[in-house]
Amino acid sequence: MILLVSGVVVLAATVVVFWALRPAGEKLHRWANTAWEPYIAVALCAGVALSFTMMLSATLDLLS
């Protein structure tokens, strides 16, 4: 159960970070077109993948 809740927390944190990184209006974000841009994209994808893996593992553990 703790793993399931942790997965939801990681997903919520990833969504909050993604929401904070959205560009405002017509301006680009300050990290767009920089060396950090691909690392941020990888971190967001990793957060989503980690959270879904944690939730799936917890769900399969609860079902068995």
Side-chain angles (χ1 to χ4, degrees), residues 7-63:
V8 171
V9 168
V10 170
L11 182 62
T14 304
V15 167
V16 167
V17 169
F18 178 76
W19 197 265
L21 291 176
R22 291 179 309 122
E26 297 293 321
K27 296 184 342 182
L28 287 176
H29 193 271
R30 66 176 185 221
W31 286 337
N33 299 326
T34 65
W36 285 98
E37 183 179 12
Y39 297 111
I40 293 168
V42 168
L44 290 173
C45 290
V48 171
L50 175 66
S51 67
F52 281 131
T53 302
M54 291 170 73
M55 290 187 290
L56 179 62
S57 176
T59 303
L60 291 175
D61 189 42
L62 288 173
L63 292 176

